[in-house]
Amino acid sequence: MHDSGTPVDAAPDMDVRESIRGYIKDNIASLGEDGLRDDDNIFEKGFVTSMFAMQLLAHIESAFDVEVPDEHLNLHRFSSVERMAEMVSELRAVRRE
Amino acid sequence: MGVKQSVKMAKCVVWDLDDTLWKGTLSSGDEVVVDPRILETVKTLDERGILQSIASKNNHDDAMRKLEEFGLAEYFLHPQINWNSKSSSLTELQAKLNIGLDTFIFIDDQEFERDEVAFVHPDVETIDAADRFLLTDLPRLSPVHVTEDARRRRLMYREGEQRDRSELAFQGPHDEFLRSLDMVLDISPAGGDDLLRLEELTHRTSQLNSTGIHYSYDELEKLIDDPGHDLWVCELTDRYGSYGKVGMALVEKSGDQWTIALLLMSCRTVSKGVGTVLLQFLVKRAAERGARLFARFRRTDRNRQMLLTYRLANFHVVSRDGVDHLFENDLEIVRDYPDHVRVNVDA
């Protein structure tokens, strides 16, 4: 699903992806080796421990000042950089309402 | 089912030094002495598997030298000897030991210090040093059973400190560090010898715990012989030694319908990713046996990581009643074990 794409959000969204991708590559060597694409499924490419998932969640929440509710804690939303970035922009949109 | 506990057991006693652990004030040049009954108290608590530490305003090196002289230094984990507030020392200890603040007992002769800690950390129980000889009689410090794991607890925390130091020194990604540990996870059906430890785990574990239900020894004993249940226990070992029996899973089996009634992992293993592996074992097994796999989950303010563990293992919510959830895994995604831990299944 595509959002209506307000221009103001376009640039920050790139920052979000960059930040999430960087965090993953710094912490999971097996995901950083031959480049991590934004649509790669991180669970298929490498082993993600729940500890790392918690750290990633903490990174997302503090870096983008959002709180991820329980309903969003699922495999689909965390499966790729792209989906996590989408989640962040959704949560930011809710916050602005 | 589970047994309600009237009193939450304490896991760590934090001692003040001057006029509490010893008599006299070290920094004013007193020749401090330790009452033999206090030596005995420290050793008794240690044997019971109660962790101990220090929160003292003193010169660190002088105080540690004294503790060495008394033969007491080894009993205290992460001693906080500095000029900071005692509440900040408790904060530091909570983070280092990774146990709940409501499992700490702080003992100090100064009313001001006790009040300061109680003000910042209302969950910490504070005790006047006048009552120091009564510590070993406190119900919160008197576990009914003392397991092998409890007796070795301080040692296992020390091994943990070594791991933490090497993790800090390790320049590189987390998964490479995990690989460097050479972890082995042994999963087996629980036997009679495991029951005390499992009872203890259900009482002590809150963070990596799917339902928080306490099971008594007797209840667990019935479950191991019950064909309608599988009770699994796992032990984790790495190159620094054994973490002991750190995890358990209870599966209710009704025909081809399996329900994970409890999944837990000791908080000492929180950064090792083995909770995910134990859950993966259950997913694999259910898939092999052609069973449907459900799990009960009770959300608390402490178990977000366990929620994440289940959800990222592809469990989805079937139904929900307040904080109680029923999950199901459709078993469409069955992954191999990670290469940083060797899994031995004895079944």
Side-chain angles (χ1 to χ4, degrees):
Chain A
M1 194 116 83
H2 285 272
D3 63 15
S4 49
T6 50
V8 208
D9 273 350
D13 186 52
M14 285 314 291
D15 293 344
V16 171
R17 287 176 182 226
E18 186 67 39
S19 164
I20 295 174
R21 192 191 314 119
Y23 190 82
I24 294 173
K25 287 168 81 163
D26 285 349
N27 286 284
I28 308 268
S30 56
L31 291 174
E33 278 154 10
D34 31 64
L36 176 67
R37 288 165 27 145
D38 286 355
D39 58 353
D40 280 340
N41 185 320
I42 60 170
F43 294 91
E44 282 165 14
K45 286 201 83 175
F47 187 81
V48 180
T49 66
S50 63
M51 181 63 186
F52 176 66
M54 279 298 277
Q55 289 167 339
L56 183 59
L57 186 57
H59 172 76
I60 289 174
E61 292 190 327
S62 67
F64 314 120
D65 191 25
V66 291
E67 198 175 318
V68 182
D70 282 1
E71 309 85 79
H72 286 38
L73 301 177
N74 61 50
L75 193 53
H76 177 81
R77 297 237 179 221
F78 283 83
S79 59
S80 67
V81 172
E82 196 167 35
R83 294 222 178 112
M84 285 182 255
E86 278 168 16
M87 178 176 73
V88 170
S89 42
E90 273 180 45
L91 291 170
R92 284 174 153 178
V94 172
R95 205 183 49 199
R96 273 194 298 270
E97 272 167 15
Chain B
M1 198 69 194
V3 179
K4 284 257 176 344
Q5 256 191 318
S6 51
V7 51
K8 179 154 185 167
M9 298 305 286
K11 296 180 183 177
C12 182
V13 173
V14 180
W15 294 82
D16 166 51
L17 292 177
D18 293 333
D19 288 325
T20 300
L21 187 85
W22 57 49
K23 189 135 188 43
T25 303
L26 187 64
S27 58
S28 38
D30 291 351
E31 196 48 59
V32 300
V33 287
V34 175
D35 190 298
R37 285 174 292 172
I38 291 295
L39 275 178
E40 212 40 56
T41 298
V42 169
K43 286 178 184 164
T44 302
L45 293 177
D46 186 64
E47 283 161 10
R48 291 180 186 173
I50 309 286
L51 304 175
Q52 295 175 85
S53 187
I54 306 277
S56 166
K57 292 178 179 169
N58 253 311
N59 177 291
H60 178 272
D61 293 353
D62 295 345
M64 285 309 292
R65 226 179 344 261
K66 270 289 158 203
L67 287 169
E68 295 282 359
E69 273 176 37
F70 293 129
L72 281 172
E74 62 178 295
Y75 291 97
F76 301 108
L77 298 168
H78 307 291
Q80 302 294 305
I81 304 171
N82 51 51
W83 302 99
N84 301 332
S85 69
K86 304 236 173 166
S87 63
S88 68
S89 292
L90 266 295
T91 306
E92 187 70 20
L93 285 170
Q94 193 275 327
K96 286 233 155 58
L97 299 172
N98 194 27
I99 54 180
L101 279 166
D102 57 356
T103 63
F104 279 92
I105 288 181
F106 170 63
I107 179 160
D108 199 304
D109 63 308
Q110 303 277 321
E111 188 176 12
F112 164 79
E113 300 290 7
R114 296 196 303 272
D115 288 350
E116 192 268 333
V117 166
F119 179 77
V120 179
H121 303 303
D123 290 341
V124 172
E125 181 180 352
T126 59
I127 292 184
D128 187 338
D131 297 329
R132 62 194 181 282
F133 300 122
L134 306 174
L135 277 180
T136 50
D137 297 330
L138 291 181
R140 295 190 70 205
L141 294 172
S142 309
V144 183
H145 306 293
V146 177
T147 64
E148 188 53 35
D149 278 73
R151 264 187 289 276
R152 293 192 61 239
R153 185 161 293 132
R154 172 167 53 87
L155 201 65
M156 291 195 282
Y157 271 88
R158 287 260 184 250
E159 289 166 0
E161 285 173 31
Q162 283 184 349
R163 285 185 192 99
D164 293 348
R165 268 197 295 278
S166 53
E167 183 163 13
L168 283 179
F170 191 91
Q171 303 285 322
H174 186 63
D175 63 335
E176 288 190 350
F177 173 72
L178 290 181
R179 201 162 297 143
S180 76
L181 289 177
D182 300 327
M183 289 191 284
V184 179
L185 188 72
D186 288 292
I187 304 174
S188 56
D193 296 349
D194 298 321
L195 297 179
L196 277 182
R197 172 61 179 158
L198 295 187
E199 178 188 47
E200 178 181 58
L201 273 175
T202 73
H203 284 91
R204 288 179 65 93
T205 312
S206 56
Q207 212 175 345
L208 295 179
N209 189 326
S210 63
T211 53
I213 297 172
H214 295 163
Y215 290 86
S216 69
Y217 184 96
D218 295 340
E219 287 170 323
L220 292 166
E221 191 171 38
K222 288 195 191 86
L223 291 171
I224 53 173
D225 294 323
D226 177 3
H229 285 88
D230 282 339
L231 182 58
W232 299 99
V233 56
C234 64
E235 176 167 1
L236 180 66
T237 312
D238 70 11
R239 64 190 170 95
Y240 295 97
S242 171
Y243 295 70
K245 302 279 167 71
V246 289
M248 68 184 275
L250 176 66
V251 182
E252 292 170 12
K253 299 193 295 186
S254 164
D256 68 346
Q257 189 159 320
W258 294 8
T259 307
I260 306 170
L262 178 65
L263 180 75
L264 67 78
M265 274 286 163
S266 156
C267 51
R268 279 182 297 114
T269 67
V270 78
S271 62
K272 305 303 176 301
V274 284
T276 312
V277 178
L278 181 59
L279 189 55
Q280 207 175 4
F281 159 73
L282 297 174
V283 169
K284 271 174 176 294
R285 198 170 166 88
E288 283 161 17
R289 307 289 162 105
R292 287 184 72 185
L293 186 62
F294 296 87
R296 279 197 277 280
F297 184 83
R298 179 176 294 167
R299 183 74 161 99
T300 68
D301 56 357
R302 303 279 298 279
N303 66 357
R304 195 184 196 196
Q305 184 166 345
M306 195 46 122
L307 174 67
L308 201 57
T309 304
Y310 268 103
R311 301 291 274 124
L312 297 185
N314 206 27
F315 281 78
H316 51 262
V317 182
V318 179
S319 63
R320 190 186 150 179
D321 178 10
V323 293
D324 288 311
H325 299 67
L326 183 69
F327 293 155
E328 182 174 6
N329 190 315
D330 59 20
L331 304 176
E332 272 172 25
I333 302 176
V334 182
R335 293 200 171 93
D336 284 329
Y337 294 124
D339 55 6
H340 65 256
V341 49
R342 199 168 80 230
V343 180
N344 296 326
V345 179
D346 172 23

